[in-house]
């Protein structure tokens, strides 16, 4: 965003690109497809998802299915973050950017989410609290799937978004 602010200057208001509405709708549809027929319980906002994924909030982590649904929701979050980069670029090309003060706060939040490995992520907390009632096979499978999701998709997506906000 820094280069964009230098190029266009800071906006007087916090105008939101119109494409954000479409992004939110697309992310919701993606999440709904991945969570059966019921609407998602979560928002795709970056500040809300980590809290839900920590396993200490409204998102249930009581059954194997709860864990599997959350993995599917994380796929939707990865899509959302990549689309956010596209939308931010599109908005910047039209001269629509967020105020520097707002994006500096977003950058701090994103920095906190960029960690070296899955086990250091807030999103790994539910794995550390797997119910004792889960079979050994389910525990092993879920641990492998969460580690793969976090290391292979989610953490790189956070890094891409953070790098974009920091460098562009």
């Amino acid at each position: 965003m820094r280069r964009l602010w230098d190029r266009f200057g800071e906006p007087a208001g916090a105008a939101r690109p119109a494409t954000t509405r479409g992004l939110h709708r697309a992310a919701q549809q993606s999440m709904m497809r991945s969570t059966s027929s019921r609407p998602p319980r979560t928002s795709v906002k970056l500040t809300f998802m980590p809290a839900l994924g920590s396993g200490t909030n409204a998102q249930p982590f009581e059954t194997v299915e709860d864990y599997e649904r959350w993995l599917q929701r994380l796929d939707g979050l990865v899509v959302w973050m990549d689309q956010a980069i596209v939308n931010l670029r599109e908005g910047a090309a039209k001269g629509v950017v967020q105020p520097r003060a707002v994006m500096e706060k977003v950058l701090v939040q994103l920095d906190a989410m960029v960690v070296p490995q899955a086990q250091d992520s807030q999103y790994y907390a539910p794995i550390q609290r797997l119910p004792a009632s889960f079979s050994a096979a389910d525990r092993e499978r879920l641990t492998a799937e969460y580690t793969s999701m976090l290391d292979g998709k989610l953490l790189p997506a956070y890094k891409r978004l953070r790098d974009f906000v920091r460098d562009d």
Side-chain angles (χ1 to χ4, degrees), residues 88-133:
L88 287 167
R89 281 192 178 120
E90 184 180 307
K94 295 176 182 178
V96 179
V97 296
Q98 294 292 328
R100 180 181 302 268
V102 170
M103 295 312 293
E104 286 173 350
K105 291 176 183 173
V106 168
L107 185 57
V108 170
Q109 293 171 350
L110 292 171
D111 279 338
M113 300 310 297
V114 177
V115 295
Q117 61 184 0
Q119 292 80 359
D120 299 328
S121 173
Q122 291 180 47
Y123 290 100
Y124 196 77
I127 293 300
Q128 295 169 329
R129 291 189 283 280
L130 283 165
S133 62

Side-chain angles (χ1 to χ4, degrees), residues 25-146:
R25 199 170 30 258
Q28 280 185 323
Q29 290 169 351
S30 170
M31 289 173 63
M32 285 181 72
R33 281 192 303 272
S34 67
T35 58
S36 74
S37 61
R38 70 181 172 86
R41 294 185 196 177
T42 62
S43 168
V44 293
K45 294 179 181 176
L46 291 175
T47 56
F48 195 52
M49 290 293 281
L52 287 175
S54 70
T56 60
N57 211 307
Q59 171 65 36
F61 285 99
E62 298 167 0
T63 67
V64 170
E65 291 78 21
D66 290 340
Y67 280 79
E68 290 168 344
R69 285 186 195 113
W70 185 248
L71 278 172
Q72 293 171 343
R73 287 183 180 109
L74 291 180
D75 267 328
L77 180 58
V78 170
V79 170
W80 185 90
M81 285 192 277
D82 287 337
Q83 186 62 48
I85 293 170
V86 171
N87 290 350
L88 287 167
R89 281 192 178 120
E90 184 180 307
K94 295 176 182 178
V96 179
V97 296
Q98 294 292 328
R100 180 181 302 268
V102 170
M103 295 312 293
E104 286 173 350
K105 291 176 183 173
V106 168
L107 185 57
V108 170
Q109 293 171 350
L110 292 171
D111 279 338
M113 300 310 297
V114 177
V115 295
Q117 61 184 0
Q119 292 80 359
D120 299 328
S121 173
Q122 291 180 47
Y123 290 100
Y124 196 77
I127 293 300
Q128 295 169 329
R129 291 189 283 280
L130 283 165
S133 62
F134 286 11
S135 71
D138 281 337
R139 294 170 68 86
E140 187 174 314
R141 178 181 59 81
L142 288 170
T143 298
E145 289 177 4
Y146 269 70

